[in-house]
Amino acid sequence: MSYPLVCLGNPLLDLQVDVESDFLRKYDLKDNDAILAEEKHLPIYGEVLQNKSLQLLAGGAAQNTARGAQYILPENSVVYFGAVGKDVYAEKLTEANTKYGLKTQYQVLEEQSTGKCAALIYNHHRSLVTDLGAANHFKASHLQKPENWEFVSNAKYFYIGGFHFTVSPEAIQLLGKHAAETNKVFAINFSAPFIPQFFKDPLDAAIPYTDFVIANESEAAAYAESHSLDLAPTDVVGIAKHIAQLPKVNSARSRTVVFTQGTEPTVVVTTVDGELVVKEYAIRELSADQVVDTNGAGDAFASGFMASLVLGEDVSKAVSRGQWAASVSIQCVGPAFPFPKVEYSA
Ligand code: 26A
C-alpha cells in the first residue's frame, strides 16, 4: 500500500456549539484560542451537551488537514495516525473519514475514551477546549509496527500537527529523522500559541527536520516571545526569516516558512541561493454572510497546501490551493468540506 502523504495528530470529536461572550468569560476563555482543558473547564462538556445548537463533528487539527488533503487528492493518497478509544466517538470519526476516503491507522486503546474538543463559536471566532483522552496516549512504537511502518516507508510527504508535541515528541522525531535520511518532505504546523510557548523544547528539537513550517500570526508571535527574539511580535516577516535560517538536517532543500494571518496576506519566506526571499499572497475575500465559522480554517489551509505539494506544484500554487481550501471550509459548519465536491479554481 502506497499513500504519498502521512499525517500524525490527535484524533478528536468536536462538540461544536454557538455561545455568547458571557459563557467564554465564565470559563476564562479567549474568543479565539485553542487550549488543553484544565480542571476548571471540565463542566463545559456537560454544558455543551445540553446546548440546542450542539453539532458533533470530526475534528482534531491534523486529522482535519488529512481529510481535507484526501478530499483534494486522488483516492488512496493520505493516511492518518493517532490514538482513539473504542467508543461511539471513534465510530463518528471513522464515519467522517470514510466519507472523505481518508485511510486511518489508529492506535486503539480500549481502556481510554476518544478525545473531545468543545468548539465554542462566538461571532466569527472559535475557542477550542480539548480533553485529549485516548489521543494523549499515542506511542511511537505504534508507528514502528511493521504494518504501520510500511505506510511510513512508502510515503513521500509527512505532515505533523503541532498539537502532537504535547503527546509524542518521540513519534515526531522518528518521522522527522526518517524524512531527512530519505530526502522526503517533512512539514509541521505550530497549531496554537501554547505550543511554541509551553512545548518549546520538543518543537525546537523538530525544527531541524522541517522542510515546511506552517503557522498563523498569533503562533508566530508566541514563537518570537518564547524564543526571546529581538523582534516585534507583529513582525511576521522577521520571525519567518529567523525560522527559515535555523539549522537544517537535510541540506538538499531549503526550509520554507508559511504564515497565514487571517484576512491579511499569507507570508512565505524561503532561501534561494543563500538569499532570503519574502513573498506575500493576498487571501480570497469572503463577504460576512459567506462566513459560517472559522473552526478548521487553518487546518483547511494546510490541506490545500500539502495536497498541492503532493501534486508536485510549486509553493505559490500551494498557497493558492491552501487559501482556496480555507475559503471553502469557512463556508461549512466546522472543519469540513462540501459534498458534492467542489473543485479548485485559481
Ligand atoms: C492538544 N490540543 C489542544 C489539540 C486540539 C486540537 N487538535 C489536536 N490537539 N485542540 C483543538 N484541536 C482541533 O483543532 C481543530 C480546529 O483547528 C479541534 O478538534 C478542531 O477541529
Side-chain angles (χ1 to χ4, degrees):
M1 281 299 215
S2 184
Y3 290 68
L5 175 60
V6 161
C7 301
L8 170 67
N10 308 326
L12 304 174
L13 189 74
D14 284 1
L15 310 176
Q16 181 167 319
V17 294
D18 298 319
V19 296
E20 296 300 330
S21 66
D22 54 346
F23 187 96
L24 299 174
R25 302 308 149 244
K26 180 165 95 180
Y27 288 106
D28 217 3
L29 299 169
K30 294 182 189 155
D31 294 359
N32 233 343
D33 205 357
I35 61 162
L36 285 166
E38 296 164 33
E39 195 71 31
K40 66 177 181 189
H41 299 123
L42 295 180
I44 291 176
Y45 301 102
E47 281 209 51
V48 300
L49 289 176
Q50 306 295 321
N51 188 310
K52 285 201 183 66
S53 67
L54 174 67
Q55 310 215 44
L56 300 186
L57 303 162
Q63 184 170 239
N64 297 338
T65 296
R67 267 198 328 280
Q70 182 57 70
Y71 180 91
I72 296 166
L73 291 167
E75 57 182 341
N76 299 333
S77 290
V78 189
V79 57
Y80 172 77
F81 288 95
V84 295
K86 199 174 183 183
D87 49 24
V88 287
Y89 280 13
E91 280 168 25
K92 273 262 168 204
L93 296 185
T94 301
E95 207 177 286
N97 294 332
T98 306
K99 181 171 168 191
Y100 285 73
L102 175 65
K103 169 88 176 154
T104 52
Q105 288 293 104
Y106 286 143
Q107 183 176 9
V108 180
L109 302 164
E110 296 194 12
E111 64 288 5
Q112 303 286 338
S113 34
T114 300
K116 54 187 187 289
C117 170
L120 310 170
I121 309 294
Y122 170 59
N123 288 336
H124 289 161
H125 306 298
R126 92 284 182 272
S127 203
L128 307 170
V129 185
T130 294
D131 177 3
L132 277 171
N136 206 19
H137 300 275
F138 183 85
K139 293 286 175 291
S141 56
H142 180 71
L143 292 172
Q144 288 166 314
K145 290 184 175 165
E147 67 271 27
N148 292 329
W149 194 255
E150 198 184 336
F151 288 100
V152 173
S153 54
N154 288 336
K156 298 277 183 288
Y157 298 83
F158 296 90
Y159 176 85
I160 314 293
F163 285 122
H164 204 74
F165 283 111
T166 73
V167 173
S168 181
E170 198 190 335
I172 299 171
Q173 285 287 312
L174 187 69
L175 295 179
K177 281 187 185 140
H178 168 79
E181 281 163 14
T182 53
N183 193 22
K184 296 175 177 180
V185 172
F186 189 71
I188 66 164
N189 195 315
F190 284 177
S191 293
F194 85 85
I195 298 297
Q197 220 169 358
F198 299 118
F199 294 84
K200 177 176 177 283
D201 292 346
L203 173 63
D204 289 347
I207 295 278
Y209 300 110
T210 55
D211 297 294
F212 291 91
V213 171
I214 305 172
N216 69 24
E217 79 283 19
S218 58
E219 295 149 12
Y223 182 96
E225 216 164 274
S226 67
H227 290 74
S228 310
L229 302 189
D230 195 13
L231 294 167
T234 49
D235 182 3
V236 283
V237 170
I239 301 164
K241 283 181 175 173
H242 173 87
I243 297 171
Q245 296 177 94
L246 292 172
K248 193 167 186 298
V249 174
N250 177 8
S251 53
R253 69 179 90 78
S254 61
R255 180 179 300 114
T256 301
V257 180
V258 182
F259 285 158
T260 60
Q261 313 188 73
T263 54
E264 296 298 312
T266 304
V267 168
V268 177
V269 173
T270 195
T271 324
V272 180
D273 301 328
E275 299 286 329
L276 284 166
V277 179
V278 180
K279 289 197 173 144
E280 297 200 10
Y281 300 88
I283 64 138
R284 288 170 190 243
E285 285 191 28
L286 292 173
S287 61
D289 61 305
Q290 286 176 298
V291 178
V292 175
D293 66 64
T294 55
N295 181 16
D299 306 334
F301 174 87
S303 305
F305 191 89
M306 293 308 298
S308 182
L309 296 183
V310 171
L311 291 170
E313 297 170 352
D314 65 16
V315 169
S316 66
K317 189 81 186 275
V319 170
S320 170
R321 266 196 202 268
Q323 293 175 335
W324 167 81
S327 78
V328 169
S329 179
I330 286 171
Q331 297 175 71
C332 295
V333 175
F337 287 87
F339 287 89
K341 278 192 185 185
V342 291
E343 291 286 329
Y344 166 78
S345 58

